[in-house]
Amino acid sequence: MRIGIVILPDQRWSESQRRWRQADEWGFDHAWTYDHLGWRDLVDGPWFDSITTLTAAATVTSRIRLGTLVASPNFRHPAAFARQITALDDVSDGRLLLGIGAGGIGFDATVLGGETLPPRQRVDRFAEFTELLDLVLRQDGTTWRGEWFAAVDARSNPGSVQTPRVPFVLAANGPRSMRLVARFGQGWVTTGTDADDLAAWWDGIAELSARLDRTLDEAGRDPATLDRYLSLDAAPVFSLSSADFFASQVERAADLGFTDVVTHWPRASSWYAGDEEILVDVATRLLPELRG
């Protein structure tokens, strides 16, 4: 089992760089940050750009993989985003994991003056975004037009450090999005479905995992070629409530076939509020055993 951690971009770099260094030194397999212009009740800030944050993180770490959890078409265009991805993969020496999703209905969906799209249209846009981004990253010189995006001779030279491009970790719960995972993904990430209690949330995770199995089978995709990421803190109980609870959640994820889990660095209040000492305990005492 590989274990990752999310570090929200809500601190100045002079403060947050300690967390990225520490995650690398502790031995976490990957570290992520949210790719939003503003998020939920933290929209009033402080809040910083994800790609800039990850680029800075790449310069103070040496081993840990770095990723977006998740980028979306809400405020990005594949041709421009490909340039940022190529640069970040270069600066990190091929340690980038690109999480991509359909985009939510919050601040990011309206801050540029657009309308919040219904679910079907968000998935339509997600499909175009993923396909065009894949093309631009794989080849140098892409001309393509869809309903939501277009590109004329979009360039990616010199290309990603990782070949044929950086790995896509696609967020998907529904059938159409899962078909995108089967077609384009090197990884699948899910937060599960809304549930009031922990048992119901895990039941939903099991159902989604089984749905993905069926989707891969229908697409003729070998399940062994796809990594499976679970965001543990989408559950109604924070995964770092205690070290023992965290260990039990990792074990449940492994039993369902997940190759990777992700927790969040505890915050003082609001989202992911918790005790940083529990994270220290998990990282220094349990992490080697859980990863093994």
Side-chain angles (χ1 to χ4, degrees):
M1 174 67 74
R2 292 181 293 265
I3 299 176
I5 189 163
V6 177
I7 302 171
L8 294 188
D10 62 343
Q11 291 184 324
R12 291 192 180 278
W13 183 245
S14 58
E15 302 172 60
S16 68
Q17 64 174 299
R18 170 188 68 86
R19 296 182 173 184
W20 294 93
R21 291 179 189 270
Q22 190 68 76
D24 191 38
E25 292 169 4
W26 274 332
F28 281 96
D29 294 286
H30 29 76
W32 310 77
T33 200
Y34 284 4
D35 188 45
H36 293 288
L37 298 179
W39 186 71
R40 298 191 179 180
D41 62 353
L42 304 184
V43 70
D44 294 325
W47 195 264
F48 295 93
D49 174 70
S50 66
I51 300 300
T52 307
T53 297
L54 291 171
T55 303
T59 67
V60 299
T61 59
S62 61
R63 177 200 53 80
I64 196 168
R65 304 210 72 174
L66 306 168
T68 52
L69 200 69
V70 292
S72 83
N74 270 333
F75 55 91
R76 296 200 178 278
H77 188 287
F81 193 34
R83 284 299 197 189
Q84 294 178 292
I85 292 166
T86 302
L88 179 51
D89 197 46
D90 181 61
V91 173
S92 67
D93 194 23
R95 289 185 284 136
L96 176 61
L97 293 167
L98 188 65
I100 314 173
I105 59 174
F107 182 80
D108 291 350
T110 58
V111 65
L112 299 184
E115 297 181 356
T116 299
L117 299 176
R120 176 171 291 277
Q121 287 183 296
R122 291 205 306 275
V123 176
D124 290 342
R125 185 182 62 175
F126 179 31
E128 283 196 12
F129 183 88
T130 304
E131 181 173 358
L132 180 53
L133 186 61
D134 172 74
L135 287 172
V136 175
L137 289 173
R138 285 179 182 272
Q139 61 190 28
D140 189 33
T142 298
T143 297
W144 190 93
R145 180 170 297 277
E147 181 181 355
W148 300 94
F149 299 102
V152 179
D153 199 20
R155 304 302 182 92
S156 63
N157 187 41
S160 304
V161 174
Q162 301 175 83
T163 56
R165 57 156 168 74
V166 301
F168 285 6
V169 180
L170 300 181
N173 281 357
R176 293 177 63 209
S177 295
M178 284 192 176
R179 287 195 289 272
L180 289 177
V181 174
R183 182 180 175 190
F184 294 106
Q186 285 66 57
W188 167 58
V189 61
T190 184
T191 56
T193 54
D194 292 336
D196 294 331
D197 66 87
L198 189 60
W201 185 76
W202 277 109
D203 287 344
I205 294 297
E207 291 174 6
L208 290 172
S209 186
R211 175 183 293 171
L212 181 67
D213 287 337
R214 294 191 296 271
T215 302
L216 295 175
D217 183 63
E218 291 168 359
R221 174 83 182 265
D222 181 358
T225 64
L226 185 76
D227 293 329
R228 302 183 184 213
Y229 295 76
L230 178 61
S231 181
L232 293 174
D233 297 325
V237 181
F238 183 39
S239 64
L240 290 172
S241 297
S242 73
D244 288 344
F245 181 73
F246 181 78
S248 71
Q249 300 309 283
V250 173
E251 183 178 355
R252 292 193 70 168
D255 288 343
L256 289 175
F258 284 90
T259 60
D260 298 74
V261 296
V262 181
T263 186
H264 288 69
W265 198 290
R267 303 179 67 253
S269 61
S270 185
W271 296 94
Y272 316 120
D275 185 351
E276 194 168 304
E277 288 303 313
I278 295 175
L279 171 61
V280 174
D281 185 28
V282 166
T284 58
R285 182 173 61 88
L286 295 182
L287 193 59
E289 177 183 346
L290 293 172
R291 291 179 68 236

